[in-house]
């Protein structure tokens, strides 16, 4: 009789010891996620093409990265979009008119894939961006389009209607947005070195 009683007391003592308070230095749980970082390098399947591009030409440290997609005559994009429209692409059918207007003005354009940090809200007007070329010459934008714009019936912003807003909150997952910078066709034979914001 005494032996089972001793075993029972030992078991109760072990259970009480297991329930005792234990102090430990555990790390505090994270309440905020880390902000996304701008990509240093990006390879993108070109807009309506099958080529890859990874040339970083617009870099504002910690704020904006823009990667070169095309540098070509506006008429090339008109033909490309018409083919897409013939293939029953409704977006291309709407957008081709914009590029036709720039073709009539005798423009070429620089297409970028632009990434903006979450805190960026940058208004850009005509003449606010300078395209620098490898031979030391430069020109400023005659017009530009930003695409897509979230939660708007018309997914384009254009400086023909006012300032274009590059907002990091419009691209929270850093997927990038297409940015078309138009310039006089006379610059088309030059190689692009960089793009910089020169507005106020």
């Amino acid at each position: 009789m005494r032996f089972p009683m001793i075993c029972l007391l030992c078991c109760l003592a072990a259970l009480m010891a297991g329930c005792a308070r234990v102090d430990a230095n555990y790390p505090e749980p994270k309440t905020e996620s880390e902000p996304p970082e701008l990509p240093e390098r990006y390879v993108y399947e070109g807009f309506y093409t099958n080529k890859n591009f990874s040339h970083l030409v617009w870099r504002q440290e910690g704020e904006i990265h823009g990667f070169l997609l095309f540098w070509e005559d506006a008429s090339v994009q008109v033909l490309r979009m018409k083919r897409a429209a013939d293939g029953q692409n409704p977006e291309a059918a709407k957008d081709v008119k914009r590029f036709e207007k720039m073709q009539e003005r005798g423009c070429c354009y620089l297409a970028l894939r632009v990434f903006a940090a979450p805190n960026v809200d940058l208004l850009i007007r005509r003449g606010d961006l300078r395209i620098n070329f490898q031979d030391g010459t430069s020109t400023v934008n005659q017009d530009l389009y930003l695409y897509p714009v979230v939660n708007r019936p018309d997914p384009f912003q254009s400086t023909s209607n006012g300032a274009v807003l590059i907002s990091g909150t419009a691209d929270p997952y850093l997927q990038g947005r297409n940015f078309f910078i138009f310039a006089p066709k006379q610059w088309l034979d030059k190689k692009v070195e960089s793009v910089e914001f020169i507005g106020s």
Side-chain angles (χ1 to χ4, degrees):
M1 184 72 182
R2 183 175 294 180
F3 180 73
M5 183 63 69
I6 293 173
C7 288
L8 178 62
L9 290 174
C10 289
C11 288
L12 287 173
L15 284 171
M16 291 178 65
C19 295
R21 183 171 178 269
V22 177
D23 291 322
N25 294 321
Y26 292 109
E28 291 293 325
K30 289 187 176 182
T31 56
E32 295 183 4
S33 60
E34 293 292 326
E37 294 184 4
L38 294 177
E40 289 295 327
R41 181 177 178 277
Y42 188 78
V43 177
Y44 176 71
E45 187 174 340
F47 195 47
Y48 294 119
T49 77
N50 57 2
K51 298 179 181 178
N52 288 330
F53 301 86
S54 59
H55 183 191
L56 178 62
V57 292
W58 185 5
R59 181 189 180 99
Q60 289 179 222
E61 185 64 42
E63 294 185 348
I64 293 173
H65 285 177
F67 295 84
L68 177 67
L69 300 182
F70 319 119
W71 174 233
E72 65 186 12
D73 193 313
S75 62
V76 178
Q77 184 75 316
V78 169
L79 293 174
R80 192 179 289 131
M81 286 186 165
K82 282 184 175 179
R83 285 197 299 268
D86 291 342
Q88 307 303 309
N89 183 328
E91 290 300 318
K94 290 190 301 183
D95 300 341
V96 68
K97 294 180 180 178
R98 294 181 171 91
F99 284 86
E100 283 179 330
K101 184 182 295 185
M102 302 311 295
Q103 177 188 7
E104 291 167 3
R105 287 172 50 183
C107 286
C108 60
Y109 74 99
L110 177 64
L112 305 180
R113 189 72 171 174
V114 174
F115 299 83
N119 62 322
V120 169
D121 280 311
L122 180 64
L123 283 172
I124 301 178
R125 299 169 177 84
R126 286 185 184 175
D128 281 352
L129 293 180
R130 179 188 290 135
I131 305 172
N132 300 309
F133 302 104
Q134 289 184 0
D135 65 0
T137 59
S138 65
T139 187
V140 295
N141 64 295
Q142 299 295 301
D143 203 347
L144 56 85
Y145 300 149
L146 176 62
Y147 175 89
V149 181
V150 179
N151 297 324
R152 279 179 48 165
D154 183 351
F156 266 94
Q157 287 187 58
S158 170
T159 51
S160 62
N161 302 318
V164 162
L165 173 65
I166 295 183
S167 174
T169 57
D171 184 23
Y173 302 108
L174 286 182
Q175 295 175 322
R177 301 167 77 191
N178 287 318
F179 202 77
F180 304 99
I181 307 172
F182 292 89
K185 195 188 298 187
Q186 69 194 63
W187 303 97
L188 187 58
D189 61 341
K190 298 176 180 289
K191 290 188 176 181
V192 177
E193 177 69 27
S194 63
V195 175
E196 60 181 320
F197 178 69
I198 58 174
S200 57

